DNA sequence: CCCGAATAGTCACCAATATTGACTATCAAG
DNA sequence: CTTGATAGTCAATATTGGTGACTATTCGGG
């Protein structure tokens, strides 16, 4: 990843800027809406939660984090009242991580904040251009995943 | 940041996927080329190095890391022979972080690997489309920075 | 049906990393 | 020449990450 002097910043540098900046804005806005007890790192769980529950190991796979990290994030979020562990009826080894009512509210708030952020970009670039950008970003993300 | 069930993954989730995947590929390729003693976190320094040197505090600002983190990364990279601290002739408080010969080789290798990665995407999406994507990503990154 | 291999999740430990505050030296403005 | 900001470092602490071991359960092949 190279953002050296003369040349344009590369794909990695730009992705990093976008990620960290979006993350900062999102969690600042969440805090202002009362969700002030969660941090960006909890995003590995929160971003992939589903109303009907998801397994911890699925969260680990989706987020690319180790099982232990996910486990301790779930510990925290459970203590804070965002999620609860329920036995998975389909597999007695597994537990379903389900959002509580507060967790559902957080998910809705996050979705709405992200929608506003993306709308801002769509207005700045043009809706058509932003849609094309988003599609391309999706493709790049998919292609990259295959490559490494 | 929300990649929930039904809806499309959002800007943050996609940026994260691209960043971490590119990072993995880059550092794997670097390791194969003999630069096997550096890790992604050193990217905060390496990505912003300049052949004619750059100040530590400038690295901190550019990478968004704390001064102390940059300082210890520089310690490591200096021990590994990638950079050296030189007094800044323009300010006796400051030190210029300059790449050594090995550091320069690493910078060239990284630039070349990133160019190959981006070429792969350009071929997959079409050169014209990729160029438009890259421009849009640049704009999004800039607009985001202002927003938070 | 049973065995061995794989998987879900947790525990406990150790290594790496981040965060904070204080400190010296230097600069820059008035 | 004084005041306030900045560059960089140190040291202490808190947080995070990574590893291997362990139990319970599932799954597939014989």
């Amino acid at each position: 990843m190279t953002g050296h002097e003369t040349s344009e910043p590369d794909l990695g540098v730009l992705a990093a800027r976008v990620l960290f900046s979006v993350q900062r804005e999102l969690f600042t806005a969440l805090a202002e809406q009362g969700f002030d007890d969660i941090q960006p790192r909890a995003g590995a769980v929160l971003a992939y939660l589903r109303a009907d529950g998801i397994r911890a190991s699925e969260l680990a796979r989706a987020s690319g984090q180790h099982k232990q990290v996910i486990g301790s994030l779930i510990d925290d979020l459970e203590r804070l009242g965002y999620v609860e562990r329920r036995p998975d009826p389909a597999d007695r080894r597994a537990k379903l991580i389900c959002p509580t009512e507060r967790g559902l509210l957080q998910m809705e708030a996050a979705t709405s904040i992200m929608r506003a952020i993306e709308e801002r970009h769509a207005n700045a670039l043009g809706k058509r251009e932003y849609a094309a950008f988003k599609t391309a970003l999706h493709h790049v993300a998919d292609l990259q995943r295959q490559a490494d």
Side-chain angles (χ1 to χ4, degrees), chain A:
Chain A
M1 240 131 64
T2 61
H4 306 138
E5 66 265 53
T6 52
S7 56
E8 280 291 284
D10 68 32
L11 180 59
V13 167
L14 291 176
R17 284 190 198 161
V18 170
L19 170 59
F20 295 124
S21 176
V22 165
Q23 211 168 54
R24 223 169 9 250
E25 183 175 359
L26 170 60
F27 278 83
T28 301
L30 282 170
E32 281 165 3
Q33 295 182 26
F35 302 104
D36 56 354
D37 49 3
I38 47 177
Q39 295 140 313
R41 67 187 292 267
V45 168
L46 295 172
Y48 299 101
L49 270 186
R50 302 167 41 105
D52 55 340
I54 182 171
R55 293 188 187 169
S57 50
E58 186 54 32
L59 288 173
R61 246 179 280 111
S63 69
Q65 298 273 82
H66 286 201
K67 283 192 300 178
Q68 296 82 344
V69 172
I70 296 298
S72 84
L73 288 175
I74 293 171
D75 287 345
D76 295 343
L77 290 172
E78 196 166 34
R79 234 178 288 116
L80 295 169
Y82 286 92
V83 303
E84 57 185 7
R85 281 178 237 241
R86 305 192 45 191
D88 184 340
D91 185 338
R92 275 185 297 172
R93 290 171 304 178
K95 292 171 187 169
L96 283 178
I97 312 308
C98 301
T100 59
E101 186 146 349
R102 188 168 188 213
L104 286 170
L105 289 173
Q106 188 281 335
M107 287 167 68
E108 285 162 26
T111 301
S112 149
I113 293 163
M114 286 307 307
R115 192 154 40 222
I117 290 175
E118 296 208 41
E119 242 169 60
R120 198 178 59 221
H121 290 302
N123 287 333
L125 297 193
K127 290 189 192 300
R128 202 166 280 279
E129 287 80 1
Y130 186 75
F133 160 72
K134 190 83 181 289
T135 303
L137 181 58
H138 210 303
H139 286 148
V140 168
D142 286 348
L143 289 175
Q144 255 311 123
R145 187 162 43 117
Q146 296 168 22
D148 76 326

